[in-house]
């Protein structure tokens, strides 16, 4: 069974990432195909595979019933870390606005030393993809030193940014620090629509220029965007793919809109089953077009890192999130903290998440798309 699952894992990589799409040769001759997965055959990739095999062995030996994923057979392969909630934008869909206000009010943002220790602890736990987010990460003074502190033989480091500060100097510092990739947020393919949503004039052009500078420096590039019913129906998601092709990025990361932050309690923004099906159709459509970027939807992270569960919500299965104040949640959008790294080791918090009844079984789609599940954190 384990051998079968590993074979399926390798096939998933081939189907989703390598086949007929852009592959970039990195230092050492390793082939990069995604901003969120270590390059093929690299030390970090081999490390991830060892953890996956161990996960599968643990599951096989445990004999879990009723679809429950045993705690010992989970690894936080992907971890997002909000280094700061400072941001020059004022996005209409911002999910972190509440955390931003709380952290500013309490003045309890993590220090560089605390973030470096957290990154070290994550790698020790088996994490092979660390993603630094915000707010805007480039407003955190110690970003480059933080990136440099991660052992690149064990994990890759990617940065999510709005792109405004990706100037020549910043890109060179990213390169020196060992950054693997940069996802730049584009809400809309039209510059004016994007800037109106971000309430930041001029940011579109700066972000596009920053992507080009990263590519020239040998840093992988991608676009990050959100999907809504309206963006699917209007053809905006196709326009985003056209933008990705024009900018020659490797990957387009699609995440679902959750009624948190500025959209709190606006449950009509949640995608429904038909919408998820249309996202899958979008992926299938562009996966057949070799001159377009790869699409990675957030639900794909599970099958990529934990093949025996199939596609679905990665939160608490293969992913967790560290907020800028030290609180830890199963994903960036979950409105609940399972512990704070100032009071409890990350490893213990991960165990608390994975033993929670809420995350005992895999979910075929984002758990937070279920209004009942989302509301349970507020009861």
């Amino acid at each position: 069974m384990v051998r079968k699952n590993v074979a399926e894992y390798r096939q998933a990589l081939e189907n989703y990432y390598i086949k007929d799409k852009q592959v970039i040769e990195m230092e050492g001759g390793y082939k990069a195909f995604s901003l969120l997965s270590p390059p093929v055959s690299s030390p970090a990739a081999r490390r991830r595979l060892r953890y996956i095999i161990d996960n599968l062995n643990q599951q096989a030996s445990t004999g879990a019933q009723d679809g429950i994923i045993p705690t010992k057979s989970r690894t936080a392969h992907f971890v997002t870390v909000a280094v700061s909630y400072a941001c020059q934008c004022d996005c209409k869909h911002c999910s972190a606005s509440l955390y931003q206000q709380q952290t500013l009010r309490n003045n309890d943002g993590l220090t560089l030393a605390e973030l470096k220790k957290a990154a070290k602890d994550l790698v020790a736990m088996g994490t092979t993809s660390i993603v630094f987010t915000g707010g805007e990460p480039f407003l955190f003074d110690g970003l480059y030193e933080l990136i440099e502190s991660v052992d690149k033989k064990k994990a890759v480091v990617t940065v999510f940014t709005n792109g405004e500060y990706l100037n020549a100097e910043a890109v060179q510092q990213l390169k020196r620090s060992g950054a693997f990739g940069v996802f730049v947020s584009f809400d809309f393919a039209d510059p004016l629509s994007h800037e109106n949503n971000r309430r930041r004039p001029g940011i579109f052009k700066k972000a596009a220029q920053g992507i080009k500078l990263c590519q020239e420096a040998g840093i992988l590039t991608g676009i990050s965007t959100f999907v809504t019913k309206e963006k699917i129906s209007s053809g905006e998601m196709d326009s985003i793919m056209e933008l990705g092709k024009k900018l020659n990025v490797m990957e387009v990361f699609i995440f679902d809109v959750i009624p948190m932050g500025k959209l709190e309690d606006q449950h009509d923004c949640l995608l429904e089953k038909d919408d998820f099906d249309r996202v899958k159709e979008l992926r299938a459509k562009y996966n057949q077009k070799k001159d377009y970027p790869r699409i990675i939807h957030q639900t794909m992270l599970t099958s990529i890192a934990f093949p025996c569960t199939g596609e679905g919500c990665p939160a608490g299965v293969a992913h967790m999130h560290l907020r800028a104040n030290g609180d830890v949640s199963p994903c960036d959008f979950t409105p609940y903290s399972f512990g704070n790294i100032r009071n409890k080791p990350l490893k213990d918090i991960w165990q608390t998440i994975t033993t929670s009844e809420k995350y005992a079984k895999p979910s075929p789609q984002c758990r937070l798309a279920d209004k009942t599940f989302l509301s349970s954190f507020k009861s």
Side-chain angles (χ1 to χ4, degrees):
M1 179 61 73
V2 171
R3 187 175 299 174
K4 176 177 179 293
N5 284 329
V6 171
E8 290 177 353
Y9 166 71
R10 292 185 182 278
Q11 188 61 52
L13 294 184
E14 177 68 24
N15 291 342
Y16 283 129
Y17 290 123
I18 301 174
K19 187 177 181 181
D20 296 332
K21 293 288 187 177
Q22 184 181 160
V23 175
I24 294 178
E25 186 168 319
M26 308 297 287
E27 294 178 9
Y30 305 120
K31 306 291 186 181
F33 56 90
S34 167
L35 282 69
L36 298 173
S37 290
V40 176
S41 299
S42 67
R46 295 197 299 271
R47 184 170 185 260
R48 173 176 288 185
L49 184 56
R50 286 196 298 271
Y51 273 96
I52 288 172
I53 292 173
D54 184 57
N55 291 159
L56 299 175
N57 285 334
Q58 289 284 354
Q59 177 146 355
S61 64
T62 304
Q65 299 177 351
D66 299 324
I68 293 175
I69 307 172
T71 300
K72 290 185 177 180
S73 63
R74 306 189 199 192
T75 298
H77 296 286
F78 304 89
V79 177
T80 48
V81 178
V83 298
S84 168
Y85 287 127
C87 189
Q88 80 279 25
C89 294
D90 185 22
C91 302
K92 295 178 182 179
H93 66 286
C94 180
S95 62
S97 58
L98 177 61
Y99 306 137
Q100 184 182 52
Q101 295 166 14
Q102 290 175 341
T103 303
L104 181 63
R105 183 172 61 248
N106 298 331
N107 191 29
D108 60 355
L110 293 173
T111 65
L112 174 59
E114 288 174 318
L115 286 164
K116 287 170 70 173
K117 183 181 184 305
K120 183 177 180 180
D121 290 345
L122 288 170
V123 171
M125 290 168 55
T127 299
T128 48
S129 178
I130 297 179
V131 182
F132 292 128
T133 69
E136 171 48 49
F138 283 92
L139 291 176
F140 179 69
D141 205 28
L143 178 64
Y144 307 114
E145 186 176 343
L146 178 59
I147 295 171
E148 189 174 9
S149 73
V150 178
D151 187 343
K152 308 307 187 302
K153 291 182 178 180
K154 295 181 178 181
V156 296
V157 175
T158 296
V159 179
F160 269 71
T161 173
N162 58 47
E164 182 168 4
Y165 302 120
L166 279 176
N167 54 41
E169 181 182 353
V171 169
Q172 287 306 311
Q173 290 194 70
L174 277 180
K175 181 66 176 179
R176 286 194 293 269
S177 67
F180 181 62
V182 172
F183 273 112
V184 179
S185 297
F186 284 94
D187 306 329
F188 296 91
D190 171 64
L192 184 59
S193 298
H194 173 67
E195 292 174 4
N196 284 342
N197 192 67
R198 299 244 148 192
R199 298 185 174 99
R200 191 69 177 177
I203 195 172
F204 189 100
K205 183 177 180 180
K206 291 178 181 178
Q209 291 173 337
I211 284 179
K212 184 177 181 180
L213 289 172
C214 286
Q215 291 168 347
E216 292 172 350
I219 299 172
L220 303 185
T221 58
I223 285 176
S224 167
T225 195
F226 63 89
V227 60
T228 63
K229 302 173 184 179
E230 294 75 19
K231 288 176 76 171
I232 296 172
S233 299
S234 67
E236 180 60 37
M237 297 307 296
D238 294 282
S239 298
I240 288 288
M241 292 307 298
E242 292 293 340
L243 176 63
K245 177 183 178 182
K246 180 180 178 180
L247 295 176
N248 193 33
V249 298
M250 172 174 279
E251 208 161 28
V252 173
F253 187 99
I254 300 174
F255 64 91
D256 304 336
V257 172
I258 303 298
M260 296 303 303
K262 292 184 179 178
L263 297 178
E264 187 171 10
D265 296 327
Q266 297 183 34
H267 292 282
D268 57 340
C269 76
L270 289 169
L271 297 185
E272 299 175 359
K273 184 183 182 305
D274 289 348
D275 303 312
F276 284 112
D277 290 341
R278 294 176 72 181
V279 172
K280 288 185 177 181
E281 290 171 4
L282 180 83
R283 282 166 31 193
K285 173 182 174 181
Y286 285 100
N287 278 343
Q288 297 173 6
K289 299 175 181 288
K290 65 180 180 180
D291 52 340
Y292 283 81
R294 296 174 181 84
I295 298 178
I296 181 167
H297 184 227
Q298 61 188 47
T299 61
M300 293 169 63
L301 295 178
T302 309
S303 59
I304 295 161
F306 200 84
C308 56
T309 65
E311 185 171 332
C313 178
V317 177
H319 170 60
M320 69 174 165
H321 175 68
L322 173 61
R323 297 180 195 158
N325 69 345
D327 285 337
V328 180
S329 59
C331 78
D332 309 45
F333 306 106
T334 307
Y336 183 81
S337 171
F338 280 80
N340 189 291
I341 63 170
R342 286 171 169 149
N343 306 317
K344 192 174 183 181
L346 258 171
K347 185 176 181 180
D348 292 348
I349 299 175
W350 174 246
Q351 185 174 15
T352 302
I353 295 173
T354 59
T355 54
S356 167
E357 290 185 3
K358 293 179 180 293
Y359 296 89
K361 297 180 180 180
S363 172
Q365 65 186 47
C366 173
R367 288 176 170 84
L368 300 176
D370 181 342
K371 297 178 184 178
T372 303
F373 183 89
L374 183 58
S375 299
S376 70
F377 287 106
K378 302 178 181 181
S379 59

